[in-house]
Amino acid sequence: MAYSNPQQGSGEEMKRLRAEVGKRLRTMREAVEKTQREVAAEVGFDYYTMVSQIENGKTRIPPSQVVSYAKALRIPPKEFAKLLMQYYDPLMFEILFTNKHER
């Protein structure tokens, strides 16, 4: 069985996962009552449209901005990284955090 890497390319599963996590990120942002501009500024993005692209599933949060994004949403960075991994790299998430591959 061949696995596609959801971090790369434009497969339909990757698009679905990014859209799904984008909706969650939007909900999380709205819960802390911040605009896309405010989050972008706190994370260090030059343009607020980057937050829009992430929330719309067009792109992912760059690994170098995961900690600052977590802080902007008032979420512990480790918990946030684990959430993102579930969508951005589900196979690795499954290996690390489930018992599916245990013998």
Side-chain angles (χ1 to χ4, degrees):
M1 172 184 248
Y3 290 97
S4 65
N5 184 343
Q7 293 184 17
Q8 306 296 324
S10 59
E12 292 305 312
E13 179 67 0
M14 181 213 56
K15 288 179 184 178
R16 185 190 70 74
L17 289 170
R18 284 188 184 170
E20 193 174 321
V21 76
K23 288 177 188 175
R24 288 191 69 178
L25 293 169
R26 177 180 294 122
T27 299
M28 294 162 85
R29 176 181 55 78
E30 290 170 347
V32 295
E33 299 178 340
K34 292 187 180 181
T35 66
Q36 290 179 344
R37 285 185 193 276
E38 291 169 327
V39 171
E42 291 179 42
V43 173
F45 294 142
D46 292 333
Y47 305 100
Y48 79 92
T49 54
M50 181 67 170
V51 175
S52 175
Q53 290 175 351
I54 290 166
E55 290 182 354
N56 286 306
K58 302 297 181 197
T59 191
R60 56 182 274 166
I61 298 171
S64 61
Q65 260 89 16
V66 169
V67 172
S68 57
Y69 212 112
K71 289 179 180 179
L73 298 180
R74 301 183 190 136
I75 299 169
K78 188 173 185 176
E79 180 182 321
F80 190 64
K82 187 174 177 181
L83 169 76
L84 294 179
M85 181 182 272
Q86 189 175 356
Y87 293 93
Y88 292 162
D89 196 348
L91 182 58
M92 189 63 69
F93 177 88
E94 189 176 87
I95 292 167
L96 291 172
F97 301 109
T98 72
N99 294 323
K100 186 174 181 180
H101 299 282
E102 298 295 319
R103 288 187 171 201

